[in-house]
Amino acid sequence: MRAFTFERARSIRSAAESASNNPGSKFIAGGTNLLDLMKLEIEVPTHLIDVNGLGLDKIEATSDGGLRIGALVRNTDLAANDVVRRHYGLLSRALVAGASGQLRNKATTAGNLLQRTRCPYFYDTAQPCNKRTPGSGCSAIGGVTRQLGVIGTSEACIATHPSDMAVAMRALDAVIETTRPDGTSRSIPIAEFHHLPGDVPHIETALEKGEMVTAVILPKPIGGKHIYRKVRDRASYAFALVSVGLVIQADGTGRVAVGGVAPKPWRVDAADAALPDGAKAAWTQLMADARPTDDNRFKVTLVERTLAAVIEEARG
Ligand SMILES: Cc1cc2nc3c(=O)[nH]c(=O)nc-3n(C[C@H](O)[C@H](O)[C@H](O)COP(=O)(O)OP(=O)(O)OC[C@H]3O[C@@H](n4cnc5c(N)ncnc54)[C@H](O)[C@@H]3O)c2cc1C
Ligand code: SF4
């Protein structure tokens, strides 16, 4: 690990200012992803800004009946929160499907959204990787791609986003609240928060220099039955090959988001419209532009079968 300086932020504004003034800086929350990447010298920040002491660890009702989740709320606390379990069951289920109990005790809401990909070549510093070293090439293309993306990928990068929580938040239309170095805040719909790779896979989100995530806002509950199904190589402590987050309302309308297949949680409006009776139609819409490799073509079938299974479960 390389040497770095460390600062405990005293306010949200000063944290964002410090991040803007120190080009090599990174925010640190639970550290469960960042510290691993630093040990491997994939991330080499020169300055760490600890944002744990800023009081951003609260879950509060919003005036319009929704929920404001502080950026530093731990995954364990969010999954166990009464309101989340009762009204946003999809989110609670997705959270407990992720990582392990110990990791969830440390992992935060913002850190989970901003975790980096699990592409094996991204972790192997001896291999070219456009995400790690822009312009160096993509070792995954033509390599071992079983875990990698089938949709939303590009000629420069075929990695997936590994978060379970983000899949649920995408289905629930979450909005990311941020503060910029000048003190202004903005709200970014989760659909626009994560970027597709295009020619610049190292640019992963809509965040600007120094911009800090302060909260995630969930709109008021939409009711219905909430199911999160994660298919993986081991029953626990493994990232999704494919995951499906489904909300089916009493009137038969629904929402579906898919994880493990794309550089961001994947949701298609036309797929929502086809639910619940048109499981096959919904899958066709979801996977319409899939470009699988020979190694990961099975994911397209796995999405179809997992979606059919969760719809069956929803019907009781
Ligand atoms: C063995 C293992 C298994 C795992 N399995 C799963 C799994 O199955 N499913 C899953 O979803 N996840 C899984 N994870 C990932 C885990 O959920 C993430 O590591 C965790 O959520 C990251 O949160 P953190 O608070 O520790 O982030 P950190 O490591 O502190 O930070 C991650 C990134 O977010 C940035 N950041 C943090 N806070 C802010 C902020 N407020 N504003 C702006 N930027 C910020 C940091 O600068 C850094 O770039 C696993 C991790 C491990 C190590
Ligand atoms: S898929 Fe993306 S993360 Fe993986 S090697 Fe290629 S550029 Fe790097």
Side-chain angles (χ1 to χ4, degrees), residues 23-295:
S25 63
K26 293 287 285 185
F27 298 118
I28 183 161
T32 60
N33 188 221
L34 182 58
L35 291 177
D36 280 355
L37 294 170
M38 287 171 66
K39 287 177 201 164
L40 294 166
E41 298 193 354
I42 294 164
E43 299 264 25
V44 284
T46 51
H47 185 64
L48 284 188
I49 304 161
D50 180 351
V51 294
N52 282 282
L54 300 178
L56 296 173
D57 55 356
K58 297 176 185 58
I59 303 172
E60 300 160 311
T62 60
S63 55
D64 59 356
L67 206 63
R68 185 175 191 278
I69 303 160
L72 272 291
V73 171
R74 307 287 154 179
N75 288 178
T76 297
D77 297 332
L78 186 56
N81 179 272
D82 275 350
V83 178
V84 173
R85 289 182 63 187
R86 189 165 309 175
H87 297 298
Y88 303 97
L90 180 61
L91 178 57
S92 182
R93 290 180 184 126
L95 281 160
V96 295
S100 66
Q102 282 171 315
L103 282 159
R104 294 194 296 270
N105 288 345
K106 286 295 283 180
T108 65
T109 305
N112 192 308
L113 283 174
L114 288 158
Q115 62 177 294
R116 310 290 307 272
T117 184
R118 294 283 160 171
C119 170
Y121 299 100
F122 175 73
Y123 278 79
D124 182 350
T125 51
Q127 305 283 342
C129 168
N130 285 324
K131 197 182 268 301
R132 180 168 25 78
T133 312
S136 61
C138 172
S139 303
I141 296 174
V144 178
T145 56
R146 184 171 180 276
Q147 295 276 353
L148 301 182
V150 298
I151 199 159
T153 54
S154 73
E155 297 299 319
C157 180
I158 59 171
T160 59
H161 193 275
S163 169
D164 291 293
M165 182 194 80
V167 176
M169 287 185 170
R170 180 70 184 89
L172 295 170
D173 282 338
V175 173
I176 320 298
E177 190 185 274
T178 70
T179 295
R180 290 185 275 211
D182 65 2
T184 56
S185 61
R186 65 173 175 144
S187 299
I188 308 169
I190 192 165
E192 294 160 26
F193 185 73
H194 295 106
H195 283 185
L196 295 181
D199 297 336
V200 285
H202 61 292
I203 301 175
E204 295 173 348
T205 69
L207 291 180
E208 296 167 3
K209 188 179 167 200
E211 190 169 6
M212 182 184 155
V213 175
T214 50
V216 172
I217 313 294
L218 297 180
K220 68 179 181 193
I222 53 171
K225 199 160 189 175
H226 292 211
I227 301 174
Y228 187 76
R229 174 102 40 118
K230 178 174 177 179
V231 184
R232 47 188 156 171
D233 283 329
R234 286 191 304 260
S236 75
Y237 209 43
F239 289 90
L241 285 170
V242 159
S243 68
V244 173
L246 180 76
V247 179
I248 292 285
Q249 319 271 13
D251 67 0
T253 58
R255 297 181 183 184
V256 59
V258 181
V261 295
K264 60 195 279 184
W266 201 251
R267 183 160 165 216
V268 176
D269 290 344
D272 289 1
L275 289 170
D277 296 325
K280 182 94 178 175
W283 167 79
T284 304
Q285 294 294 344
L286 276 167
M287 293 286 113
D289 298 318
R291 293 194 308 168
T293 65
D294 288 345
D295 266 1

